[in-house]
Amino acid sequence: MNIPKHQQNDIAKQAAGKAAVNYIQDGMLIGLGTGSTASYFIDALIERCHTTTLKIHAVATSERSYQQAKSGGISLYDINQITQLDMTIDGADEIDRKKQMIKGGGGALLREKIVAYMSQEMVVIVDDTKLVEYLGCFPLPVEILPFAYQSTLNQIHLLGFQGRLRQDAQGQLYVTDNGNYIVDIVTKHPFQNPQQDHALLKSIPGVIETGFFLNMAGRVIVGHNDGSIDIIE
Amino acid sequence: MNIPKHQQNDIAKQAAGKAAVNYIQDGMLIGLGTGSTASYFIDALIERCHTTTLKIHAVATSERSYQQAKSGGISLYDINQITQLDMTIDGADEIDRKKQMIKGGGGALLREKIVAYMSQEMVVIVDDTKLVEYLGCFPLPVEILPFAYQSTLNQIHLLGFQGRLRQDAQGQLYVTDNGNYIVDIVTKHPFQNPQQDHALLKSIPGVIETGFFLNMAGRVIVGHNDGSIDIIE
C-alpha cells in the first residue's frame, strides 16, 4: 500500500505526540507547544485525562493550542500567574544530533522559548524528517521590533545573513502574537556555529529573539512513519 | 546669589545641549534623543536652523521629541524609511569614565538604543551630576515582554538582581512605546562588570533590552552649572 508522504508524516507526528503523554505525571503543570506535532500531543493528553484519573494543569504558547486544550476540558492557567512549569512538550522545525534546534516556523518562537525556559524539562516531539546533520535547511526565524525594522533588517544583512520579512497570505507583513515582525534567514551553507550566530543576531538592538533553541531540549521523541518511535535521552 | 540646585542643573543641561549643535553639519540626518537635556538640544537646533542656512533632517526616539522638533519646523523622517543616521544626540542617566552608560529613566531605552545603533556617532550630552565612577546608583531599566512577565521577573531575581516593575503615576504597570513593561534593577553595590550583567540579563527569553549602553558613546559633552562645558573625546 502506498501511503502519501504527508500522511506518513502524520503517522510519525502522531506517534511522537502520543508517546509524550507517558511522561506526564499526576499534578504536573505543563506547557503546551504549538504546531501539528504538538497538536497530536494535546489530543492524546485530552484522551488520557478522560480515560484515566490523570489530573494536570497547563499553559499554552498560542491561542490555537489554548483553544484546543480548553475545548478538550484541560485546566488552563494564565501564564502571568505562574513562574515555573514542570514540563513543556513542543515540536521543532529542525533538530541536530546535539539536540540544538530551530523553531518558529509557526511564528510562536518567542512565547515558545519563554515557556520552555520556565520548564524543568522541555520534551521535544518530532517526526524523523526534522532530524538533520546541521541546522540551516529550514529558514531561521528572527523576531524583530516594528520600530525601525528596515534598519534592523539592514543590520542583519550587514552581519552577513540573508533574510526577508515574513508575509501573511494577504501579502501583508506577518505580525506575531507580541505585535512584532519576523525575518526568515536563509543560508546556502549550514549554520556551523549556532551559538555565535545567535549571539551576533541578538547583539542588534531591534532583534528580540532568534529561533535557535540551544541547550534547551531534554528528552527527544522521534516518530517514524511506521508508527514506531525512538527516544534520544 | 544662591541658585536652587535644580535650576543649576538646568543651566548645565542647557550648556551641554547648546554645545552639541556645533557638531551638526549641513545635510545631516540626525537622531533626536529624549529627556530634559535632549530637549535643550532640540531647542538649540531649532534656533540654529532659523537663524542660519543650516538644513538637516531628523528622526525622533519618542513622541515628545517628535512634537517638539515638528513644532519648531524641523524636517522629520519616518524611522522605517531609513537605515542609517549621521549622528544621534542624546542624554544619559549615568556615564562612567569609560563612557559606559545607563539610560532608560524616561522609558525610551529600546528606541534610543536602536537609533544610536543606526548612527555613525552617538554624541552624549549630560550635566556633570551624571558622571560616575561606577554605574549603579541609578536603577538599571530593563524592558521585558508582558507575556509571562512574572516569570521573567522571577528569572531576573534568580540571576541575583533585585528589580521591581515600574508603575505609572496611577499605580498601573508602566507600558513602553513598544507595548512592553520595564523592570528597574537596583543594586547596593556598583555594577562591576556591565558587559557580563547585560549578557546575563539578555540570556533570559522575555528580556527584550537592557538600559546598559556599552561602547556606544562617541564624544561626550559635559555641562557645568556655571554654564561651561567639558568635552570627552
Side-chain angles (χ1 to χ4, degrees):
Chain A
M1 186 177 71
N2 285 324
I3 302 173
K5 195 162 169 48
H6 71 277
Q7 285 182 23
Q8 288 180 3
N9 252 5
D10 281 347
I11 292 168
K13 289 175 180 182
Q14 190 170 26
K18 272 191 172 178
V21 175
N22 296 326
Y23 292 160
I24 307 299
Q25 294 171 22
D26 207 42
M28 271 188 172
L29 181 52
I30 62 172
L32 307 175
T34 297
S36 53
T37 313
S39 173
Y40 281 120
F41 164 73
I42 297 170
D43 278 345
L45 180 66
I46 291 168
E47 189 191 350
R48 182 68 62 97
C49 287
H50 284 181
T51 57
T52 71
T53 60
L54 181 69
K55 283 199 171 42
I56 54 94
H57 302 278
V59 297
T61 51
S62 67
E63 188 58 28
R64 186 150 49 104
S65 295
Y66 180 91
Q67 290 303 337
Q68 185 187 357
K70 191 178 177 189
S71 66
I74 300 285
S75 159
L76 286 149
Y77 277 12
D78 176 355
I79 189 95
N80 291 327
Q81 293 173 338
I82 53 171
T83 55
Q84 63 177 42
L85 298 163
D86 295 301
M87 188 178 279
T88 283
I89 288 87
D90 203 355
D93 297 314
E94 277 188 348
I95 181 165
D96 71 12
R97 290 177 187 275
K98 293 177 181 168
K99 302 199 281 190
Q100 312 290 47
M101 301 182 281
I102 286 179
K103 285 175 59 58
L109 66 148
L110 181 51
R111 295 191 173 194
E112 287 172 350
K113 194 177 272 195
I114 290 172
V115 168
Y117 194 78
M118 291 170 69
S119 305
Q120 295 289 319
E121 182 181 5
M122 179 190 194
V123 171
V124 178
I125 49 177
V126 289
D127 66 86
D128 55 13
T129 66
K130 305 295 166 49
L131 290 178
V132 295
E133 199 68 35
Y134 294 104
L135 301 177
C137 286
F138 195 89
L140 174 72
V142 175
E143 186 155 340
I144 69 168
L145 200 73
F147 178 83
Y149 69 93
Q150 291 288 6
S151 170
T152 300
L153 183 60
N154 187 52
Q155 299 291 352
I156 289 170
H157 290 165
L158 289 176
L159 288 178
F161 299 99
Q162 296 302 313
R164 56 182 297 177
L165 287 154
R166 188 181 295 185
Q167 298 184 340
D168 63 19
Q170 287 74 45
Q172 303 296 306
L173 288 181
Y174 177 88
V175 178
T176 71
D177 284 349
N178 314 303
N180 301 312
Y181 297 154
I182 285 187
V183 176
D184 287 301
I185 292 179
V186 291
T187 174
K188 285 181 186 167
H189 308 287
F191 294 109
Q192 296 287 352
N193 193 336
Q195 285 283 10
Q196 184 179 299
D197 289 328
H198 172 77
L200 266 175
L201 288 163
K202 286 270 282 186
S203 73
I204 304 171
V207 166
I208 294 174
E209 196 49 84
T210 84
F212 282 126
F213 280 56
L214 308 176
N215 308 323
M216 297 188 86
R219 287 167 287 186
V220 180
I221 304 175
V222 183
H224 303 288
N225 60 30
D226 63 357
S228 68
I229 58 156
D230 286 324
I231 293 167
I232 306 170
E233 295 284 343
Chain B
M1 187 176 70
N2 284 324
I3 302 172
K5 194 161 170 54
H6 71 276
Q7 285 184 22
Q8 288 180 5
N9 252 4
D10 281 348
I11 292 168
K13 289 175 180 182
Q14 191 171 22
K18 272 190 171 178
V21 175
N22 296 325
Y23 293 160
I24 307 300
Q25 295 171 20
D26 207 44
M28 272 190 172
L29 182 52
I30 62 173
L32 306 175
T34 296
S36 52
T37 314
S39 172
Y40 280 120
F41 164 73
I42 297 170
D43 278 344
L45 180 66
I46 291 168
E47 189 191 349
R48 182 70 60 98
C49 287
H50 284 182
T51 56
T52 70
T53 59
L54 181 69
K55 282 198 172 42
I56 54 93
H57 303 277
V59 298
T61 51
S62 68
E63 189 57 30
R64 186 151 49 104
S65 296
Y66 181 91
Q67 290 303 338
Q68 185 188 356
K70 191 178 176 190
S71 65
I74 300 285
S75 160
L76 286 149
Y77 277 11
D78 176 355
I79 189 95
N80 292 325
Q81 293 173 338
I82 53 173
T83 56
Q84 63 177 42
L85 297 164
D86 295 301
M87 188 177 282
T88 282
I89 287 87
D90 203 355
D93 297 314
E94 278 188 347
I95 181 164
D96 72 12
R97 291 178 186 276
K98 293 177 181 168
K99 301 200 282 191
Q100 310 292 46
M101 301 181 281
I102 286 180
K103 284 175 59 59
L109 66 149
L110 181 51
R111 294 190 174 194
E112 286 173 351
K113 194 177 271 195
I114 290 171
V115 168
Y117 194 78
M118 291 169 69
S119 304
Q120 294 290 319
E121 182 182 5
M122 179 190 193
V123 172
V124 178
I125 49 177
V126 288
D127 66 86
D128 54 15
T129 66
K130 305 295 166 50
L131 289 179
V132 295
E133 199 68 33
Y134 294 104
L135 300 177
C137 286
F138 194 89
L140 173 73
V142 174
E143 186 155 341
I144 70 168
L145 200 72
F147 179 83
Y149 70 93
Q150 290 289 6
S151 170
T152 300
L153 183 60
N154 186 54
Q155 299 290 352
I156 288 171
H157 290 166
L158 290 176
L159 287 178
F161 299 99
Q162 296 303 313
R164 55 182 299 176
L165 287 155
R166 188 180 295 185
Q167 298 184 341
D168 62 20
Q170 287 74 44
Q172 302 296 307
L173 288 181
Y174 177 87
V175 178
T176 71
D177 284 349
N178 315 302
N180 300 313
Y181 298 154
I182 285 187
V183 176
D184 287 302
I185 292 179
V186 291
T187 174
K188 284 181 186 169
H189 307 287
F191 293 109
Q192 297 288 350
N193 194 335
Q195 285 282 10
Q196 184 178 298
D197 290 328
H198 172 77
L200 267 175
L201 289 163
K202 286 270 283 186
S203 73
I204 303 170
V207 166
I208 294 174
E209 195 51 82
T210 84
F212 282 126
F213 280 55
L214 308 175
N215 309 322
M216 296 188 85
R219 286 168 287 185
V220 181
I221 304 175
V222 183
H224 303 288
N225 60 30
D226 63 358
S228 68
I229 58 156
D230 285 325
I231 294 167
I232 306 170
E233 295 284 341

